[in-house]
Amino acid sequence: MNIVHVMMNSVTTKDEILEAAKREAKDKGLESIGMREIARASNIALGTLYNYFPNKDVLILSTISSIWKEAIEKLEEEKDFISAVSTVYDAILSVDSNYSGFLSAHAKFLKGNDEGKKEMGEAQSELREYLTSSMDNYLRAKIKETMDEDKFSEFILSNIILSALKKEEPEILKTLVLSYIRS
Protein backbone atom coordinates (compact mmCIF):
# COMPACT_ATOMS: atom_id res chain seq x y z
CA MET A 1 0.00 0.00 0.00
CA ASN A 2 1.50 3.32 -0.96
CA ILE A 3 1.42 6.50 1.12
CA VAL A 4 -1.08 8.25 -1.19
CA HIS A 5 -3.57 5.40 -0.77
CA VAL A 6 -3.24 5.49 3.02
CA MET A 7 -3.77 9.25 3.11
CA MET A 8 -6.89 9.03 0.95
CA ASN A 9 -8.46 6.42 3.24
CA SER A 10 -7.51 8.01 6.53
CA VAL A 11 -10.17 9.16 8.95
CA THR A 12 -10.22 12.84 9.65
CA THR A 13 -13.21 13.52 11.89
CA LYS A 14 -14.18 12.64 15.41
CA ASP A 15 -17.43 11.09 14.15
CA GLU A 16 -15.55 8.77 11.82
CA ILE A 17 -13.29 7.68 14.69
CA LEU A 18 -16.37 7.02 16.83
CA GLU A 19 -17.84 4.92 14.01
CA ALA A 20 -14.64 2.83 14.03
CA ALA A 21 -14.91 2.48 17.82
CA LYS A 22 -18.57 1.43 17.49
CA ARG A 23 -17.60 -1.20 14.90
CA GLU A 24 -15.00 -2.53 17.35
CA ALA A 25 -17.62 -2.54 20.15
CA LYS A 26 -20.07 -4.30 17.86
CA ASP A 27 -17.57 -6.96 16.82
CA LYS A 28 -15.75 -7.54 20.12
CA GLY A 29 -17.50 -5.58 22.88
CA LEU A 30 -16.77 -2.31 24.66
CA GLU A 31 -13.95 -3.88 26.69
CA SER A 32 -11.98 -4.53 23.50
CA ILE A 33 -11.73 -0.87 22.53
CA GLY A 34 -8.10 0.16 22.66
CA MET A 35 -6.39 3.28 21.38
CA ARG A 36 -4.00 1.39 19.08
CA GLU A 37 -6.79 -0.76 17.60
CA ILE A 38 -8.99 2.27 16.91
CA ALA A 39 -6.11 4.24 15.40
CA ARG A 40 -5.36 1.26 13.16
CA ALA A 41 -9.05 0.80 12.24
CA SER A 42 -9.34 4.53 11.53
CA ASN A 43 -6.15 4.46 9.46
CA ILE A 44 -4.60 7.30 11.45
CA ALA A 45 -1.53 7.68 13.63
CA LEU A 46 -1.94 6.99 17.33
CA GLY A 47 -0.89 10.57 18.09
CA THR A 48 -3.67 11.88 15.86
CA LEU A 49 -6.20 9.80 17.79
CA TYR A 50 -4.92 11.36 21.03
CA ASN A 51 -5.64 14.79 19.52
CA TYR A 52 -9.32 13.82 19.40
CA PHE A 53 -9.48 11.67 22.55
CA PRO A 54 -6.90 12.33 25.30
CA ASN A 55 -7.23 8.79 26.72
CA LYS A 56 -9.03 5.48 26.38
CA ASP A 57 -11.68 6.38 28.97
CA VAL A 58 -12.74 9.46 27.00
CA LEU A 59 -12.88 7.39 23.79
CA ILE A 60 -15.02 4.70 25.44
CA LEU A 61 -17.34 7.23 27.08
CA SER A 62 -17.79 9.02 23.76
CA THR A 63 -18.52 5.66 22.12
CA ILE A 64 -21.10 4.84 24.82
CA SER A 65 -22.73 8.23 24.30
CA SER A 66 -22.84 7.67 20.55
CA ILE A 67 -24.47 4.27 21.05
CA TRP A 68 -27.12 5.81 23.35
CA LYS A 69 -27.80 8.38 20.63
CA GLU A 70 -28.41 5.48 18.26
CA ALA A 71 -31.11 4.21 20.62
CA ILE A 72 -32.67 7.66 20.79
CA GLU A 73 -32.69 7.96 16.99
CA LYS A 74 -34.84 4.82 16.83
CA LEU A 75 -37.67 6.52 18.70
CA GLU A 76 -40.75 7.44 16.74
CA GLU A 77 -43.62 9.60 17.90
CA GLU A 78 -46.13 7.51 19.79
CA LYS A 79 -49.81 8.16 20.33
CA ASP A 80 -49.96 6.70 23.82
CA PHE A 81 -47.73 6.08 26.81
CA ILE A 82 -47.89 2.26 26.71
CA SER A 83 -46.68 2.28 23.09
CA ALA A 84 -43.90 4.67 24.08
CA VAL A 85 -42.79 2.20 26.79
CA SER A 86 -42.56 -0.52 24.14
CA THR A 87 -40.72 1.75 21.73
CA VAL A 88 -38.10 2.73 24.32
CA TYR A 89 -37.68 -0.92 25.35
CA ASP A 90 -37.22 -1.99 21.71
CA ALA A 91 -34.68 0.79 21.05
CA ILE A 92 -32.63 -0.09 24.14
CA LEU A 93 -32.82 -3.80 23.41
CA SER A 94 -31.74 -3.14 19.83
CA VAL A 95 -28.51 -1.37 20.82
CA ASP A 96 -27.84 -3.98 23.51
CA SER A 97 -28.19 -6.70 20.85
CA ASN A 98 -26.15 -4.83 18.23
CA TYR A 99 -23.39 -4.07 20.72
CA SER A 100 -23.22 -7.35 22.56
CA GLY A 101 -23.79 -6.81 26.26
CA PHE A 102 -23.77 -3.02 25.93
CA LEU A 103 -26.01 -2.38 28.94
CA SER A 104 -24.04 -4.46 31.38
CA ALA A 105 -20.62 -3.48 30.00
CA HIS A 106 -21.20 0.25 29.94
CA ALA A 107 -22.24 0.30 33.60
CA LYS A 108 -18.72 -0.86 34.43
CA PHE A 109 -17.17 2.01 32.51
CA LEU A 110 -19.41 4.61 34.15
CA LYS A 111 -18.60 3.51 37.69
CA GLY A 112 -16.88 6.39 39.46
CA ASN A 113 -16.69 8.46 36.29
CA ASP A 114 -18.52 11.76 36.71
CA GLU A 115 -18.17 12.79 33.07
CA GLY A 116 -19.53 9.43 31.92
CA LYS A 117 -22.43 9.69 34.33
CA LYS A 118 -23.18 13.16 32.96
CA GLU A 119 -23.27 11.87 29.37
CA MET A 120 -25.40 8.90 30.42
CA GLY A 121 -27.69 11.30 32.27
CA GLU A 122 -28.14 13.36 29.10
CA ALA A 123 -29.18 10.29 27.10
CA GLN A 124 -31.53 9.13 29.81
CA SER A 125 -32.96 12.64 30.05
CA GLU A 126 -33.90 12.48 26.36
CA LEU A 127 -35.54 9.09 26.91
CA ARG A 128 -37.48 10.42 29.92
CA GLU A 129 -38.60 13.45 27.91
CA TYR A 130 -39.80 11.11 25.17
CA LEU A 131 -41.84 9.12 27.69
CA THR A 132 -43.24 12.27 29.29
CA SER A 133 -44.21 13.75 25.92
CA SER A 134 -46.29 10.65 25.16
CA MET A 135 -48.49 11.12 28.24
CA ASP A 136 -52.05 12.23 27.61
CA ASN A 137 -53.76 14.77 29.86
CA TYR A 138 -55.56 12.11 31.88
CA LEU A 139 -52.31 10.27 32.72
CA ARG A 140 -50.61 13.56 33.57
CA ALA A 141 -53.43 14.43 35.96
CA LYS A 142 -53.28 10.97 37.60
CA ILE A 143 -49.53 11.20 38.07
CA LYS A 144 -49.68 14.71 39.51
CA GLU A 145 -51.96 13.39 42.28
CA THR A 146 -49.02 11.55 43.81
CA MET A 147 -45.74 12.55 42.14
CA ASP A 148 -43.89 14.61 39.56
CA GLU A 149 -44.12 13.57 35.87
CA ASP A 150 -40.32 13.47 35.58
CA LYS A 151 -39.98 11.16 38.59
CA PHE A 152 -42.64 8.91 37.12
CA SER A 153 -40.83 8.80 33.75
CA GLU A 154 -37.54 8.14 35.56
CA PHE A 155 -39.12 5.21 37.42
CA ILE A 156 -40.54 3.82 34.17
CA LEU A 157 -37.24 4.24 32.30
CA SER A 158 -35.26 2.53 35.08
CA ASN A 159 -37.60 -0.41 34.86
CA ILE A 160 -37.45 -0.50 31.07
CA ILE A 161 -33.64 -0.70 31.31
CA LEU A 162 -33.90 -3.49 33.90
CA SER A 163 -36.30 -5.36 31.62
CA ALA A 164 -33.88 -4.95 28.71
CA LEU A 165 -30.99 -6.25 30.85
CA LYS A 166 -33.09 -9.33 31.64
CA LYS A 167 -34.28 -9.55 28.02
CA GLU A 168 -37.87 -9.66 29.29
CA GLU A 169 -40.72 -7.72 27.72
CA PRO A 170 -41.85 -5.04 30.16
CA GLU A 171 -45.38 -6.51 30.36
CA ILE A 172 -45.54 -6.21 34.15
CA LEU A 173 -44.55 -2.57 33.85
CA LYS A 174 -47.25 -1.93 31.25
CA THR A 175 -49.83 -3.68 33.45
CA LEU A 176 -48.81 -1.55 36.43
CA VAL A 177 -49.11 1.65 34.39
CA LEU A 178 -52.53 0.61 33.05
CA SER A 179 -53.79 -0.24 36.52
CA TYR A 180 -52.43 3.09 37.81
CA ILE A 181 -54.27 4.92 35.04
CA ARG A 182 -57.53 3.09 35.76
CA SER A 183 -57.45 3.60 39.52
Side-chain angles (χ1 to χ4, degrees), residues 82 85-87 89-90 93 159-160 162-164 166-174:
I82 298 300
V85 169
S86 292
T87 299
Y89 172 79
D90 291 343
L93 195 62
N159 282 279
I160 291 170
L162 285 173
S163 294
K166 294 178 181 180
K167 307 278 190 274
E168 295 176 355
E169 277 287 326
E171 294 307 318
I172 294 171
L173 185 59
K174 293 177 194 176

Side-chain angles (χ1 to χ4, degrees), residues 129-174:
E129 287 172 22
Y130 172 79
L131 289 168
T132 302
S133 71
S134 70
M135 293 178 189
D136 62 21
N137 290 335
Y138 180 76
L139 179 56
R140 287 175 193 276
K142 288 295 283 182
I143 291 167
K144 285 182 180 180
E145 290 174 9
T146 57
M147 71 181 80
D148 178 81
E149 291 173 1
D150 290 333
K151 289 199 182 296
F152 183 78
S153 291
E154 185 175 334
F155 170 78
I156 296 298
L157 180 59
S158 296
N159 282 279
I160 291 170
I161 292 170
L162 285 173
S163 294
L165 271 167
K166 294 178 181 180
K167 307 278 190 274
E168 295 176 355
E169 277 287 326
E171 294 307 318
I172 294 171
L173 185 59
K174 293 177 194 176

Side-chain angles (χ1 to χ4, degrees), residues 1-18:
M1 184 182 300
N2 64 35
I3 193 91
V4 174
H5 184 70
V6 170
M7 296 297 270
M8 288 174 35
N9 289 328
S10 66
V11 173
T12 57
T13 70
K14 191 174 186 176
D15 288 339
E16 290 172 315
I17 294 168
L18 284 173

Side-chain angles (χ1 to χ4, degrees), residues 38-167:
I38 299 307
R40 196 173 308 115
S42 300
N43 215 6
I44 59 174
L46 185 58
T48 302
L49 180 60
Y50 279 106
N51 288 333
Y52 289 101
F53 301 95
N55 58 52
K56 179 179 172 176
D57 287 346
V58 172
L59 174 61
I60 290 175
L61 291 173
S62 294
T63 304
I64 289 169
S65 179
S66 183
I67 292 170
W68 273 113
K69 286 176 186 164
E70 240 182 75
I72 292 165
E73 289 170 2
K74 294 178 184 298
L75 303 178
E76 298 174 9
E77 188 174 336
E78 291 297 343
K79 295 178 182 164
D80 64 82
F81 189 74
I82 298 300
S83 297
V85 169
S86 292
T87 299
V88 170
Y89 172 79
D90 291 343
I92 291 172
L93 195 62
S94 174
V95 295
D96 192 52
S97 298
N98 287 338
Y99 300 93
S100 181
F102 169 73
L103 287 173
S104 56
H106 93 287
K108 180 176 100 175
F109 289 106
L110 295 177
K111 197 172 195 174
N113 187 314
D114 291 337
E115 185 62 32
K117 288 178 184 176
K118 180 183 169 202
E119 285 194 40
M120 169 81 168
E122 289 170 10
Q124 286 189 352
S125 178
E126 287 188 54
L127 293 169
R128 282 193 308 275
E129 287 172 22
Y130 172 79
L131 289 168
T132 302
S133 71
S134 70
M135 293 178 189
D136 62 21
N137 290 335
Y138 180 76
L139 179 56
R140 287 175 193 276
K142 288 295 283 182
I143 291 167
K144 285 182 180 180
E145 290 174 9
T146 57
M147 71 181 80
D148 178 81
E149 291 173 1
D150 290 333
K151 289 199 182 296
F152 183 78
S153 291
E154 185 175 334
F155 170 78
I156 296 298
L157 180 59
S158 296
N159 282 279
I160 291 170
I161 292 170
L162 285 173
S163 294
L165 271 167
K166 294 178 181 180
K167 307 278 190 274

